[in-house]
């Protein structure tokens, strides 16, 4: 049975040594001192490792079952969900007036990583509810907020996002689901939605579906899409549950992983829905959920990489196989542990340097979100808007690769289901796909975000890196600053190539979009590692904290700089080859 | 339901335009003219797409089941196996005296790729039999050959390889299975073996297990390991089947993929076995199987990449989603097909350039094997010995990545099982693990093969590349030769780094072993693409063949050179960072 141990120490290091959150002037950050965050994270970590993690394999093995219209979740899920609800973990960052705890988003991200690492399929029920609640909070009427938010904050009711239809995923303009206005101000929703995570289940009294649909007679394509609130059970004026709405689960998909989450085909047969936000402005409202969801999916990439790494590390220390080439390290045993072998270490260091660097990226990104939302900081808003596709796309591509590497350390034992390593890989795979497949993230980054506000945010990013490098020039930071400088130069050169060639031929930029996203991601993780190295050096100089841990941070930072950052040159070379190699063949010639 | 179409045209191009097999002086090659290979490949392709491919999903869904000691294979497997047997496809390259067809190995490889692409789990029953038969052919007594080979050549009896035990995989010196000499010259085999592919099933009359075990009192560790033939049913002197031997399947593993193949725990309880080859020379005999098996596994990587690509390509042409950024290409439809989007093409070109380049590598490698085995060419033997870990490790790592890319093109439809794309990924995953995990391949390459015979073979490889580049200097081959030269220089620089640093500190070489294997693989595929480009140019100049196909070859070669080969510089930079970044942390600091 795999284990999950919450990386509290690493999170504390990032929050306090690197980001110094309690000195941040953002509202709510003053309370985030070491003791407070430690108490929250310890408690959440305990729940993650003791309650959610043991159910991970159960969820995978049993899956969800549709019987007579009712979806049965795996054994133990409901009881665990009750524990999560009772502990008040469902609405850390929602406003107090709706039953939330009004904590910064950064703390919700840290806790979310733990829960997702322990049990991704389970945590999705809560995660989607949070996304739906955020959309209602941002776009709902007072009445809608009062009606839905308190029960969604507590997860007594859960939420869903309904975008995809059989013939359209990315291209939502092709949508066919209809919303016909009724005399009572509601709409009758008719159509089929697919791939609806947590679409139907037995863990909550009600399910609040947010559904994209077209009001007949509205504009063509994506501009005619509106967002609706469609509850499974209608809510009476006194807040009690009324009749069952015309929405039902037609099928649960068989899928590669996240078996514990019910992925449903949802049929809407004239279901009663209420407009959320404005008519034909559904995409805008949906994007409130989507942007949050994209950060959340990036988090899943990190979380699965972390838990897979933890187990691979245990195995590498325990499993005796072969001898160190430089002489036996366990001479009294029959063989040395796997961890003595350089290629096993190379893999473990890849994983460790990714998980910790990505965690820092995620928490820094969450700090930007707090600055934007709580502090009204427009620059922070622009920066996180730029970085969102990188967080989603890069962290899930890499996170998946890391689960594959972790699985590989187990040899044949990684391929059989008994050890749980296959599940981490299978579960992590979805994160590259949902909430906008990673190719779409790359397109968003290169086609939209780079040029947003006249390219202001990407310039701000480069300035930030440049300033950091200048301020930390020379010893003792040279080992970190020099590679970062070089990688950042590659990123700028790629941006320059797009500017010079993309105007004439957009394909010259788009052919390099995935490479650019990865190049950008490496620069971000390089920046994070440089920051962490600086924080570790400072703590060591002060004689503060666990010297072994801090020395490991420096060594891992060096690893990232020397072994991972060289990828930027490869991505740049690919980008600079432009559109021709990619676009030359006619479709028939493939 | 996914489709499989045998890539006969591409195979014909490689065999005849690139490798010019019928001019090769190797015995048996003279018969390989275009018509002959075309007839064989067409016939095999038909069987693959019409019979084996439709059973692929069935095998995945049903799996194998152990009931009262009997393993039931998926519906339709036995009937299909009968068709394969009846068609004479089980022993293309085995000697005629044992019922084989005595064809060159290169043809068996081409057919093997088809069968594996259509249904990997199914084809393993046959593949393992072939490996076991090869070991008996190479090391068996005349009597053993007569007893076992005819029925194994026809797959009336199938074969297995029994190496792994619960506590040892790579490090077989830790083995505990015992072989106690009996008065009749046989041995009593006792112990447990795990992960035994095709270990027990209902498709053959007998199963011939090749089992590694230790004869008590022999040398310690790996030097005391011997190989034994342990039939499921003892064979009477007249060739009829006698009593059931003391070997049984204790369990079938639940695993990530290849569900159609029974992966068994095999229990040997004093089972009767006969020594194959010499006492304590079991590893040598086993390596006859292993080397062949490693090429076969590399082939699986290519095969899964090919079939996944074929289906991804279909989907990219069919699925309408979004508009080309340069203007609608399907203006009368609701949207353009996916294939218009640059990032989708980037992915398809990655897949296409890998599958075709890797196929050429595999067939060239098979030609080297034929030259070694049939022609007694020692240099060819040395070269394929050097390249075997590259074929196994690089082609399965990359092959897996390509199935992941193919799956990605389907978006959410790639994650659900309905479309079959998840299965290609799950099936391809095993190839990175079995027959020596890819880290072990990298170790074999860097720790053993590079220095073999005084480094003679790697020098021969460099000479070969150099000669090719010199002979094809300037136009019209410059687009292909220049990138190949540069990549080859990176490979030489990496080898030089190992020579200069590996003597003092072997970890300096081993820390870069996986990167070196990938760097080597890219140079090999670059070489293959340069050869194919040359062959395509020649055919175009002659006005021979399908111009569209040949132009596509040139465009795909250019893609490989500009978009894939830049990886060599990244691998070199990683290698040159040496041992320190990898080895610095103490195990406790992870």
């Amino acid at each position: 049975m795999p284990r999950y141990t919450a990386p509290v120490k690493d999170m504390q290091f990032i929050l306090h040594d690197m980001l110094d959150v309690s000195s941040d002037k953002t509202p709510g950050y003053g309370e985030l001192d070491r003791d407070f965050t430690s108490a929250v994270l310890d408690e959440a970590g305990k729940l993650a490792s003791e309650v959610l993690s043991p159910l991970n394999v159960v969820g995978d093995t049993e899956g969800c079952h549709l019987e007579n219209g009712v979806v049965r979740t795996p054994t133990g899920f409901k009881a665990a969900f009750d524990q999560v609800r009772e502990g008040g973990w469902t609405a850390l960052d929602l406003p107090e007036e709706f039953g939330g705890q009004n904590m910064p988003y950064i703390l919700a991200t840290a806790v979310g990583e733990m829960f997702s690492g322990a049990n991704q399929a389970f945590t999705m029920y809560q995660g989607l509810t949070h996304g739906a609640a955020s959309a209602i909070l941002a776009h709902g009427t007072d009445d809608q907020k009062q009606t839905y938010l308190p029960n969604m904050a507590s997860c007594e009711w859960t939420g869903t996002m309904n975008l995809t239809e059989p013939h359209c995923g990315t291209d939502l303009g092709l949508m066919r689901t209809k919303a016909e206005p009724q005399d009572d101000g509601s709409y009758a929703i008719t159509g089929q939605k697919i791939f609806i995570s947590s679409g139907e289940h037995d863990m909550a009294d009600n399910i609040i579906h947010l559904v994209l649909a077209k009001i007949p007679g509205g504009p063509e394509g994506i501009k005619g899409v509106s967002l609706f609130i469609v509850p499974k059970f209608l809510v009476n004026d006194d807040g009690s549950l009324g009749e069952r709405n015309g929405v039902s689960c037609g099928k649960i998909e068989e899928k590669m992983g996240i078996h514990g989450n019910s992925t449903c085909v949802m049929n809407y047969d004239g279901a009663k829905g209420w407009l959320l936000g404005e008519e034909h402005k559904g995409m805008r409202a949906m994007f409130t959920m989507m942007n949050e969801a994209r950060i959340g999916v990036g988090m899943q990439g990190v979380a699965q990489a972390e838990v897979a790494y933890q187990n691979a590390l245990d195995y590498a220390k325990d499993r005796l196989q072969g001898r160190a080439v430089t002489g036996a390290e366990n001479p009294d045993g029959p063989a040395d542990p796997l961890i003595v072998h350089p290629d096993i270490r190379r893999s473990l260091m890849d994983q460790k340097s990714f998980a910790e660097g990505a965690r820092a990226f995620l928490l820094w990104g969450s700090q930007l979100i707090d600055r934007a939302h709580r502090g009204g900081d427009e620059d922070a808003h622009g920066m996180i808007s730029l970085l969102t596709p990188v967080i989603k796309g890069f962290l899930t591509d890499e996170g998946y690769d890391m689960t594959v590497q972790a699985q590989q350390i187990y040899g044949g034992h990684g391929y059989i289901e008994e050890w749980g390593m296959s599940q981490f890989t299978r579960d992590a795979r979805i994160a590259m796909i949902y909430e906008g497949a990673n190719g779409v993230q790359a397109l968003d980054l290169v086609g939209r975000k780079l040029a947003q506000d006249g390219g202001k945010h990407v310039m701000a990013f480069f300035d930030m890196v440049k300033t950091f490098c200048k301020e930390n020039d020379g010893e003792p930071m040279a080992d970190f600053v020099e590679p970062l400088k070089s990688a950042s130069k590659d990123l700028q050169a790629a941006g320059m190539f797009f500017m010079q060639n993309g105007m004439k031929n957009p394909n010259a930029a788009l052919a390099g979009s995935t490479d650019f996203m990865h190049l950008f991601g490496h620069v971000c993780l390089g920046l994070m590692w440089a920051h962490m190295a600086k924080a570790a050096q400072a703590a060591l100089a002060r004689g503060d904290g666990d010297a072994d841990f801090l020395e490991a941070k420096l060594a891992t930072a060096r690893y990232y700089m020397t072994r991972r950052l060289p990828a930027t040159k490869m991505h740049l070379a690919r980008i600079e080859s432009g559109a021709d190699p990619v676009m030359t063949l006619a479709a028939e010639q493939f």
Side-chain angles (χ1 to χ4, degrees), chain A residues 1-4 53-58 60-61 117-119 256-258 303-305 307-312 315 403-404 406-408 410-428:
Chain A
M1 169 93 90
R3 60 123 175 163
Y4 177 75
S53 169
L55 289 175
N56 198 40
V57 171
V58 177
D60 188 56
T61 314
N119 196 327
M256 186 176 177
I258 52 165
Q304 292 303 305
V307 67
Y309 164 66
Q310 288 183 10
N311 287 279
Y315 194 78
T403 63
V404 173
Q407 183 186 22
Q408 187 72 12
Y410 281 69
H413 297 277
Y415 196 67
I416 60 173
E417 297 293 350
E418 191 177 327
W419 292 78
M421 300 306 288
S422 157
Q423 187 188 350
F424 298 137
T425 302
R426 291 184 289 98
D427 285 0

Side-chain angles (χ1 to χ4, degrees), chain A residues 496-514:
Chain A
M496 191 60 74
F497 179 86
F498 289 164
M499 285 202 354
Q500 287 167 346
N501 297 277
M503 296 292 218
K504 281 174 293 188
N505 178 10
N507 288 339
L510 298 182
S513 56
T514 286

Side-chain angles (χ1 to χ4, degrees), chain A residues 168-244:
Chain A
C168 71
T170 299
D171 189 353
L172 291 169
L174 302 175
M175 185 174 296
R176 291 182 193 147
T177 298
K178 274 184 319 192
E180 289 172 302
Q182 306 297 298
D183 292 343
D184 64 356
S186 73
Y187 291 77
I189 315 286
T190 303
Q192 189 177 65
K193 296 288 181 176
I194 64 170
F195 303 157
I196 308 308
S197 299
S198 319
E200 177 59 60
H201 60 86
D202 56 3
M203 301 200 295
D205 296 333
N206 202 2
I207 301 176
I208 311 306
H209 303 289
L210 297 197
V211 184
L212 285 180
K214 284 185 171 176
I215 301 169
E220 286 288 300
I222 198 75
K223 290 179 179 157
V225 167
S226 308
L227 185 60
F228 298 89
I229 302 177
V230 186
K232 174 178 168 185
F233 289 101
L234 300 181
V235 183
N236 296 324
D237 288 345
D238 64 357
S240 63
L241 295 185
E243 60 177 316
R244 178 76 191 246

Side-chain angles (χ1 to χ4, degrees), chain A residues 200-503:
Chain A
E200 177 59 60
H201 60 86
D202 56 3
M203 301 200 295
D205 296 333
N206 202 2
I207 301 176
I208 311 306
H209 303 289
L210 297 197
V211 184
L212 285 180
K214 284 185 171 176
I215 301 169
E220 286 288 300
I222 198 75
K223 290 179 179 157
V225 167
S226 308
L227 185 60
F228 298 89
I229 302 177
V230 186
K232 174 178 168 185
F233 289 101
L234 300 181
V235 183
N236 296 324
D237 288 345
D238 64 357
S240 63
L241 295 185
E243 60 177 316
R244 178 76 191 246
N245 204 349
V247 47
S248 60
C249 169
K251 182 187 168 193
I252 294 188
E253 304 286 358
E254 299 288 333
K255 51 198 193 303
M256 186 176 177
I258 52 165
H259 296 158
N261 195 274
S262 55
T263 304
C264 300
V265 173
M266 298 302 296
N267 295 317
Y268 293 86
D269 302 307
K272 233 181 196 346
W274 288 271
L275 189 67
L276 176 59
E278 296 172 52
E279 264 190 11
H280 314 316
K281 297 279 163 67
M283 288 311 292
R284 226 184 80 198
M286 202 48 141
F287 262 100
T288 307
M289 289 167 72
M290 288 284 274
N291 277 330
E292 179 186 311
R294 285 174 176 181
I295 307 278
V297 172
M299 179 186 77
Q300 292 174 341
V302 183
Q304 292 303 305
E306 168 69 31
V307 67
Y309 164 66
Q310 288 183 10
N311 287 279
L313 178 59
D314 288 354
Y315 194 78
K317 287 179 176 177
D318 285 352
R319 174 89 170 172
L320 304 180
Q321 208 79 178
R323 289 290 183 192
V325 68
T326 47
E329 297 199 9
N330 176 33
D332 299 334
D336 289 342
L338 285 179
I339 198 170
V340 306
H341 302 300
D343 190 60
I344 295 286
R345 276 178 166 267
R346 189 263 320 148
S347 170
L348 290 172
M349 290 299 293
D350 277 356
Q351 295 171 56
K352 180 178 170 64
S353 65
F354 170 75
E356 296 178 10
R359 177 173 301 121
F361 188 23
L362 208 56
L363 291 173
W364 172 52
S366 301
Q367 187 181 32
L368 291 173
I369 290 178
D370 281 325
R371 285 180 180 162
H373 292 179
R374 297 181 154 242
D377 180 339
E378 283 298 323
D379 291 339
H381 185 268
M383 184 66 77
I384 190 60
S385 168
L386 170 71
L387 296 177
T388 295
V390 183
I391 289 175
K392 197 282 180 181
F394 178 69
L395 297 189
T396 61
D397 276 354
E398 289 272 309
Y400 177 72
D401 283 349
M402 295 304 152
T403 63
V404 173
Q405 286 213 35
Q407 183 186 22
Q408 187 72 12
I409 285 183
Y410 281 69
H413 297 277
Y415 196 67
I416 60 173
E417 297 293 350
E418 191 177 327
W419 292 78
M421 300 306 288
S422 157
Q423 187 188 350
F424 298 137
T425 302
R426 291 184 289 98
D427 285 0
R429 183 69 186 87
I430 187 58
M432 297 159 73
I433 298 172
Y434 59 18
E435 306 308 337
N438 286 356
V440 175
Q441 303 300 325
L443 179 64
D444 178 46
L445 175 65
V446 170
R448 201 165 147 261
K449 297 295 176 64
L450 275 190
Q452 209 167 36
D453 300 324
K456 181 175 155 190
H457 309 301
V458 73
M459 294 313 298
F461 181 85
F462 287 133
D463 280 348
M464 183 182 59
V465 174
K466 204 170 155 189
T467 305
F468 177 86
C469 291
K470 206 176 241 173
E471 287 174 0
N472 294 283
D473 203 27
E475 292 310 326
M477 283 288 290
D479 281 1
F480 313 105
V481 164
E482 293 308 317
L484 175 61
K485 254 192 225 170
S486 159
S488 177
K489 246 181 229 162
D490 292 338
L491 185 63
Q492 290 188 56
M496 191 60 74
F497 179 86
F498 289 164
M499 285 202 354
Q500 287 167 346
N501 297 277
M503 296 292 218

